[in-house]
Amino acid sequence: MERHTAESSGEGGRGVEAAAQGRQLRRLLQHADLPAVAESRKVMRDALRGWGVPGLADTAELLTSELVTNALQHTDRGAVLTATLSSGIAPRSRRLRVEVRDFVARHPRLRSPGDQVTSGRGLLLVQALADAWGVHPEGTGKVVWFELSIDAA
């Protein structure tokens, strides 16, 4: 399994605008709307079933909830969740890419929380379970993303 981290140095209403159009899902999230985390997991699972790749759902839900939670807790504005299913022909080219865009330029960083700490493991999970992940600047903020191979599902 190929893994790498690439680090480079919209706002909207409450996720009501979750629309799976073809093989792309876009969801607008408001700042500190933590119920939107659970809603994002459900929408992701439903989209993956509809796209015919339910085997990705458990991992995609978990990693999506980590990125959405980080964006909603650690930024002062909303975020945009986008999931895209690509259908390449070559082996291992079919992928699910999930991006969470927020409006704060500060990049997240991997932490090594102690055994007694109850948070801070989200990016460690992303690093361990995604085939690829990273962060890149976008406008006044950034996009944190991960990819999962469809062929491995």
Side-chain angles (χ1 to χ4, degrees):
M1 182 178 338
E2 171 192 332
R3 293 185 189 171
H4 69 275
T5 302
E7 283 201 48
S8 312
S9 200
E11 299 172 85
R14 177 167 202 227
V16 178
E17 195 159 326
Q21 299 173 355
R23 294 187 174 226
Q24 185 171 65
L25 166 78
R26 181 177 160 97
R27 186 170 176 87
L28 304 175
L29 309 163
Q30 276 190 340
H31 168 64
D33 182 11
L34 294 184
V37 176
E39 293 167 11
S40 295
R41 284 193 303 264
K42 181 187 180 325
V43 169
M44 179 66 68
R45 179 172 293 277
D46 292 347
L48 292 172
R49 280 188 189 135
W51 296 341
V53 288
L56 292 178
D58 290 339
T59 303
E61 274 186 74
L62 173 64
L63 301 184
T64 298
S65 86
E66 294 299 333
L67 296 188
V68 168
T69 299
N70 283 349
L72 296 181
Q73 284 187 329
H74 301 295
T75 66
D76 59 355
R77 291 175 62 190
V80 179
L81 166 65
T82 306
T84 306
L85 189 67
S86 66
S87 54
I89 296 171
R92 299 182 63 133
S93 66
R94 298 176 355 140
R95 305 179 84 66
L96 171 69
R97 183 178 177 103
V98 176
E99 299 179 343
V100 176
R101 179 175 189 256
D102 64 47
F103 302 92
V104 173
R106 179 179 13 94
H107 286 205
R109 54 189 175 102
L110 286 168
R111 298 189 301 178
S112 297
D115 292 340
Q116 302 302 314
V117 178
T118 60
S119 65
R121 292 176 178 79
L123 288 180
L124 292 173
L125 286 170
V126 173
Q127 182 180 44
L129 298 175
D131 293 314
W133 78 280
V135 180
H136 64 82
E138 178 140 342
T140 60
K142 66 185 169 300
V143 172
V144 183
W145 59 271
F146 69 85
E147 292 182 348
L148 298 173
S149 172
I150 295 169
D151 300 318

